[in-house]
Amino acid sequence: MNKDVPVYLLSGFLGSGKTTLLQKLVAYWQGQGLKPGVIINELGDVNLDGMLVDSEVPTAELLGGCICCTVREDLAGELAMLVERDRPDVVLIEATGAANPIDLLDSATETAMYAGIDIKGLITVADAAHLLEMYRNRGGRTYALMQDQIRCASVIILNKMDRVSEREAEELERAITEWNAYAPVVRAIRCEVDFEALLNIGFAAERVENGPLKKTPGGRFDMLGSGHEHVTSYTHRFKNPVDSERFEALISSLPREIYRAKGLLTFSDTASRFLFQYAFRELDFIKVTPQGKLDDMAVFIGEHFSAAELREKLEALEAEEAQA
Ligand SMILES: Nc1nc2c(ncn2[C@@H]2O[C@H](COP(=O)(O)OP(=O)(O)OP(=O)(O)O)[C@@H](O)[C@H]2O)c(=O)[nH]1
């Protein structure tokens, strides 16, 4: 009989560093001579994260919805198919940052009943600076979701340590341990951690056995989840290139309610195309050469922001360039 394929789930709020970790874990497993498979779930209908994953890696995409609601059944199907078709040695599932991990765990364990997989547990990546701000302001559904993602974790990566001080990190670690006394907390910058240690400490049998989550007799995980219906997104499709500096200025003037944006852009003043990333007030650009035909687009994610206002600003930016 074939051995069950180990499956790791990856959660963490929008922009915390999940894809950064996914890329590194994939490289780590490849370095061990293993064949990893990945499933990526994005809220938008274009898989931008997929562009950052080695094209040799079998990848399944779940787009246009979130694992914990609209694409729940699809996850089971995609996971079973990936395992059957590509026979990976290990699978990593990256949920959207808006996903409630309970539903993700539920859906994955359902699949485990028939698909020959072994759910190892959940890695939660937290953006230290963003979590700290949320923790100090206490309240709101984003904060509740971040807490749930930490409560459900088998191991927590406290990422973006370059953005907090030692005292702040200690304050965060105390809070995290209160929410989840079982999971080890590993500090990191750009999710750079000792992967061997991470996979050993976080998923040791006795920890999983005594972990924060117990299954109910009905097979579901017994923990109240907070929905993420408050999270909204707006996808903009660009008709023509925009000026990079004006685009940067627009991004830096975004309202606080928009905490995540990413997209693929052609600038009028540069030769190549760029994947842009904006997470908790930090902007990053990566040069890319997308495979196949992909139009310029940007997705903005946040709470109760005005999509109409944002669209107007973006259209004005496009119009300025068209006239120039
Ligand atoms: N300053 C800083 N930035 C980081 C660190 N780790 C990742 N980033 C940046 O944060 C942004 C978001 O990282 P991702 O790995 O795409 O985050 P994600 O959790 O996959 O985002 P979603 O898919 O939208 O949920 C990117 O611009 C990263 O380069 C870190 O340790 N410090």
Side-chain angles (χ1 to χ4, degrees):
M1 216 179 88
N2 287 336
K3 241 180 96 210
D4 285 346
V5 179
V7 174
Y8 294 89
L9 306 171
L10 189 47
S11 105
F13 196 68
L14 294 157
S16 56
K18 294 180 296 300
T19 309
T20 306
L21 177 64
L22 180 137
Q23 288 173 295
K24 292 189 175 167
L25 262 177
V26 162
Y28 166 74
W29 280 318
Q30 286 174 327
Q32 306 271 304
L34 298 174
K35 177 181 171 186
V38 301
I39 297 185
I40 298 176
N41 176 216
E42 287 225 68
L43 283 175
D45 53 9
V46 178
N47 181 11
L48 293 168
D49 287 352
M51 254 186 252
L52 301 171
V53 180
D54 181 343
S55 56
E56 299 283 296
V57 175
T59 306
E61 299 172 353
L62 293 167
L63 304 176
C66 176
I67 285 176
C68 70
C69 36
T70 44
V71 294
R72 212 185 134 107
E73 279 86 46
D74 300 356
L75 171 67
E78 287 293 340
L79 179 55
M81 195 162 80
L82 183 85
V83 169
E84 178 72 15
R85 186 192 56 203
D86 300 302
R87 307 224 167 261
D89 297 310
V90 53
V91 173
L92 189 62
I93 303 177
E94 179 189 347
T96 74
N100 193 298
I102 291 291
D103 300 297
L104 175 62
L105 276 162
D106 248 359
S107 176
T109 37
E110 261 168 48
T111 318
M113 290 176 196
Y114 60 87
I117 55 169
D118 174 20
I119 307 291
K120 292 299 220 184
L122 183 89
I123 307 172
T124 291
V125 184
D127 174 333
H130 197 179
L131 182 65
L132 185 71
E133 185 177 291
M134 288 292 168
Y135 174 63
R136 287 184 174 165
N137 295 328
R138 288 168 206 253
R141 289 196 268 179
T142 295
Y143 177 57
L145 179 58
M146 284 178 172
Q147 279 183 307
D148 271 356
Q149 289 172 336
I150 286 171
R151 285 199 181 106
C152 296
S154 318
V155 58
I156 295 144
I157 297 187
L158 190 55
N159 192 39
K160 305 203 185 181
M161 282 297 298
D162 54 318
R163 301 191 65 204
V164 294
S165 68
E166 175 60 32
R167 275 175 62 183
E168 290 169 333
E170 284 167 12
E171 182 181 341
L172 277 172
E173 279 171 345
R174 276 193 298 277
I176 292 174
T177 314
E178 249 176 56
W179 303 332
N180 183 345
Y182 299 96
V185 182
V186 183
R187 294 183 185 192
I189 294 177
R190 301 207 168 265
C191 291
E192 202 56 71
V193 297
D194 178 340
F195 292 110
E196 195 185 331
L198 177 86
L199 298 176
N200 281 329
I201 52 163
F203 305 95
E206 68 277 12
R207 269 193 191 278
V208 174
E209 192 63 21
N210 301 321
L213 290 167
K214 298 271 178 288
K215 279 197 141 192
T216 64
R220 293 182 72 85
F221 285 100
D222 186 20
M223 191 190 242
L224 283 179
S226 59
H228 63 264
E229 302 79 25
H230 63 298
V231 176
T232 49
S233 71
Y234 166 63
T235 303
H236 189 83
R237 294 185 186 280
F238 292 85
K239 292 182 200 72
N240 44 273
V242 293
D243 178 80
S244 66
E245 279 178 30
R246 290 201 180 116
F247 180 75
E248 268 192 55
L250 184 150
I251 293 290
S252 54
S253 71
L254 285 177
R256 286 172 75 89
E257 292 75 33
I258 297 179
Y259 35 65
R260 181 75 169 119
K262 52 185 162 179
L264 179 67
L265 288 174
T266 307
F267 291 121
S268 50
D269 51 338
T270 59
S272 51
R273 294 179 91 190
F274 286 88
L275 191 65
F276 89 89
Q277 298 263 15
Y278 171 74
F280 192 57
R281 305 202 271 281
E282 265 198 325
L283 180 64
D284 248 12
F285 289 103
I286 308 166
K287 246 189 217 181
V288 284
T289 317
Q291 308 290 314
K293 189 178 158 1
L294 274 180
D295 294 329
D296 284 357
M297 55 79 68
V299 53
F300 297 83
I301 306 171
E303 288 177 71
H304 311 295
F305 65 92
S306 164
E309 227 168 82
L310 180 61
R311 187 178 57 234
E312 250 171 53
K313 282 192 187 165
L314 289 160
E315 282 173 355
L317 197 68
E318 288 184 84
E320 271 173 37
E321 259 340 88
Q323 280 164 12

